Amino acid sequence: MSFRLDVLDEPLLEFGGGGRAIDPRLGLMEFGPLQPGTGDKVRLAVIGTAETVDGFERFVDRCRTGISAESGRLANLRPHFPGLGNANPFRCAFEVEAGARTVLPRQDIERIVKERDNDAAVRAAVDLFAEHALAIHETSARPDVIVFALPTDLIERVVNDTVGGDGEDDPLPENLPAGQPLDFRDLLKARTVHMRCPSQIIWPSSWDDAQKVNRKLNGKTRRTQDPATRAWNLFNALFYKAGRVPWRLHSPEDGLKTSYCGISFYRDETGQHLLTSSAQMFDERGKGLILKGGRARTDRNQRHPYLTREDAYDLLRRALEAYRRHHKHFPARLVVYKTARFNLAEVEGFEAAIDEARIDVRDFVWVYEGSPLLAMREGDYPPLRGSVLELGRETMLYTRGSVPFFKTYPGMRVPRPVMLRPHLQDSTSHELAAGTLALTKMNWNSTQFDGASPITLQAARRVGRILRHVPQGFDVQGDYRYYI
């Protein structure tokens, strides 16, 4: 048998003034952000110990004049950070507001570190930071972002390394079973998601190369990025969480107005109920919306969760109404991603909502991340990112792989492709693969553009991990920046 292997062009991103580039850092340096915002600075508050508060502020000061990076073959992968002065890629200042420093008593941290029960220690740490965040939130001078600067001994006590990926772009586990240890990050986000102020968790290893944080279970130290990359990722995340958009996908003038919707499933804190989360990507303006869906069911093998017809209709109807409120019209094309097989009754519900909105083009795509197939490339490097192989109704897509712009493969493990398995398909397989690849570049928590999963699915899963700690009936924020 013979197969045709194509390699997609790296999708373009759009920045300030309509500037275009494939790389976020290059685009920000040359054109500035897509949406600078109305203010001239991002106002920060910081909560931590005396050492971590001071360490974070010193890192901000250090970044004002820029951070150099090693020159050489990997200069595009690890570029220098130009600084927050005249060459500021974000075109605004970042400042810790006067009076917005909260120093936690050292004895409070030591009490948590000494707690022998893991879940009790996590809950005590979350209570400590959440209470101080709420106090800051209720002041008249509310900041744009609250920074939680965690001390190393607290991190090693309460931050689990058992239910997440090794990196920001690694696929997150879905539908976590009951009995998992509490996750500090997820629980803290759940406790603060109702506030109108996003948060950023930061570790001492972000500003101090000498700081080593041990993994909880095996004693190994965690990998840290180089200082310039850490600065890029931190300030890009702070910029986005302050309500400003660094970049968006470039849409051709003659392209259809498209909305992408990712659907994921999670169990509540008791482990008894399987629920739904949805993340919708407003591509044209770079916005994201989070929706909380109803209960889900599973097939006989307990492997493929799905929605009832009524819940599928309700979830997609609310997503499309949100799009209409945002854009004053419905999209011309809708792409729905799931990480499980589509159910026929579920599809009927989706199509009923689509018919009401009079959308002509729709694609329902099962994104399968456990592909048993791999493509091998001659030589030492993995296949190129964007490699596409059509296998009948399925399409193999490498969202991670060797990147010519980086002149290397930037990953630590052999990359695995995703399999795109359309249930209903109005677009071509090439169009679906290109759209999926483009959505891997929309993670504003990182400035490296070769994400593993489309942001719609990555966001829906991340949100589900947080919503599992939020009681049913509790109103939550619909903006994705409150969840990352």
Side-chain angles (χ1 to χ4, degrees):
M1 297 180 66
S2 61
F3 303 96
R4 178 188 172 114
L5 180 69
D6 292 324
V7 179
L8 301 172
D9 292 335
E10 191 60 56
L12 282 171
L13 301 174
E14 186 175 331
F15 300 86
R20 302 170 194 170
I22 65 170
D23 180 66
R25 293 165 291 196
L26 180 65
L28 288 169
M29 282 192 284
E30 188 168 353
F31 306 111
L34 177 74
Q35 184 185 23
T38 56
D40 60 353
K41 65 180 178 180
V42 173
R43 298 172 296 115
L44 306 173
V46 58
I47 302 172
T49 63
E51 294 80 8
T52 61
V53 169
D54 180 65
F56 172 72
E57 290 187 307
R58 282 189 284 106
F59 186 64
V60 174
D61 287 337
R62 176 188 176 190
C63 291
R64 297 193 197 285
T65 56
I67 298 178
S68 61
E70 293 184 11
S71 59
R73 188 175 64 88
L74 300 182
N76 285 347
L77 177 62
R78 303 187 186 99
H80 74 286
F81 181 69
L84 303 174
N86 292 335
N88 188 335
F90 302 102
R91 311 301 197 257
C92 71
F94 294 80
E95 295 182 4
V96 177
E97 294 281 271
R101 303 168 78 256
T102 298
V103 176
L104 304 175
R106 189 65 215 178
Q107 57 265 33
D108 288 350
I109 302 297
E110 292 174 353
R111 172 176 50 83
I112 296 169
V113 171
K114 293 177 181 177
E115 171 61 56
R116 305 181 74 175
D117 181 79
N118 182 75
D119 284 3
V122 171
R123 291 188 187 279
V126 167
D127 288 344
L128 179 64
F129 282 90
E131 288 170 6
H132 287 284
L134 183 60
I136 291 174
H137 176 262
E138 291 177 343
T139 63
S140 57
R142 182 185 301 132
D144 296 313
V145 185
I146 295 176
V147 176
F148 298 118
L150 308 184
T152 300
D153 54 348
L154 185 70
I155 294 168
E156 293 179 342
R157 178 64 191 88
V158 304
V159 175
N160 287 300
D161 194 43
T162 57
V163 293
D166 284 339
E168 179 63 40
D169 292 321
D170 290 335
L172 290 168
E174 186 175 33
N175 187 13
L176 296 176
Q180 287 282 356
L182 280 177
D183 187 283
F184 170 80
R185 180 200 172 279
D186 295 344
L187 190 57
L188 180 59
K189 294 286 184 177
R191 281 285 305 278
T192 57
V193 74
H194 65 284
M195 302 190 315
R196 288 184 297 162
C197 188
S199 62
Q200 174 74 32
I201 297 173
I202 188 168
W203 295 7
S205 53
S206 295
W207 62 77
D208 185 356
D209 292 337
Q211 285 282 348
K212 303 298 181 184
V213 179
N214 290 324
R215 292 182 182 271
K216 187 168 184 180
L217 296 180
N218 55 23
K220 296 181 180 179
T221 56
R222 295 172 184 258
R223 301 192 307 270
T224 56
Q225 298 164 320
D226 61 281
T229 299
R230 297 199 299 265
W232 270 114
N233 292 342
L234 172 63
F235 289 104
N236 193 74
L238 293 174
F239 183 84
Y240 169 62
K241 291 179 182 183
R244 311 174 190 196
V245 181
W247 64 81
R248 67 179 176 189
L249 296 178
H250 169 64
S251 299
E253 291 293 331
D254 58 349
L256 295 177
K257 299 298 184 182
T258 303
S259 181
Y260 299 92
C261 185
I263 296 175
S264 181
F265 301 90
Y266 66 96
R267 292 195 180 274
D268 65 5
E269 203 169 29
T270 68
Q272 297 178 0
H273 303 301
L274 187 62
L275 304 170
T276 314
S277 63
S278 167
Q280 184 177 7
M281 183 69 202
F282 292 165
D283 177 45
E284 288 79 8
R285 297 187 185 178
K287 293 290 186 180
L289 173 77
I290 300 304
L291 292 174
K292 191 174 183 179
R295 289 193 183 183
R297 303 180 181 183
T298 58
D299 60 12
R300 289 182 180 179
N301 297 323
Q302 301 289 308
R303 295 178 58 191
H304 294 282
Y306 64 91
L307 292 165
T308 64
R309 184 189 188 283
E310 294 74 19
D311 284 342
Y313 165 78
D314 176 69
L315 181 63
L316 201 55
R317 178 189 58 80
R318 288 189 289 124
L320 292 172
E321 279 297 324
Y323 185 101
R324 186 189 61 79
R325 288 194 301 271
H326 192 74
H327 287 286
K328 312 306 179 188
H329 60 79
F330 287 113
R333 175 176 175 245
L334 175 69
V335 183
V336 178
Y337 290 104
K338 276 186 64 181
T339 53
R341 183 183 292 121
F342 285 83
N343 175 274
L344 292 179
E346 178 183 57
V347 169
E348 288 180 5
F350 289 150
E351 291 202 292
I354 290 172
D355 289 343
E356 283 186 10
R358 303 180 70 178
I359 297 173
D360 295 326
V361 181
R362 83 280 189 258
D363 301 288
F364 298 162
V365 185
W366 171 16
V367 180
Y368 182 64
E369 295 169 318
S371 171
L373 303 177
L374 292 175
M376 306 300 291
R377 179 182 172 200
E378 186 177 0
D380 296 330
Y381 286 97
L384 294 171
R385 167 176 153 87
S387 296
V388 175
L389 184 65
E390 293 188 23
L391 303 166
R393 286 270 299 162
E394 292 186 79
T395 301
M396 174 193 288
L397 170 65
Y398 271 87
T399 56
R400 301 216 74 196
S402 299
V403 180
F405 180 78
F406 293 151
K407 299 181 180 178
T408 190
Y409 167 56
M412 299 293 292
R413 297 182 295 273
V414 176
R416 301 191 70 87
V418 298
M419 302 297 291
L420 305 182
R421 298 174 171 176
H423 180 86
L424 290 176
Q425 180 180 0
D426 287 333
S427 305
T428 67
S429 297
H430 186 278
E431 288 171 334
L432 287 177
T436 303
L437 186 68
L439 288 173
T440 65
K441 306 181 76 152
M442 297 304 293
N443 178 12
W444 290 304
N445 222 24
S446 173
T447 54
Q448 187 170 309
F449 63 68
D450 61 328
S453 302
I455 189 60
T456 43
L457 289 180
Q458 187 78 337
R461 281 188 286 210
R462 187 168 295 283
V463 167
R465 289 166 57 107
I466 294 169
L467 291 183
R468 72 193 300 259
H469 300 294
V470 178
Q472 283 292 90
F474 192 88
D475 289 335
V476 296
Q477 297 280 2
D479 196 325
Y480 181 50
R481 62 195 176 100
Y482 291 89
Y483 296 86
I484 62 173

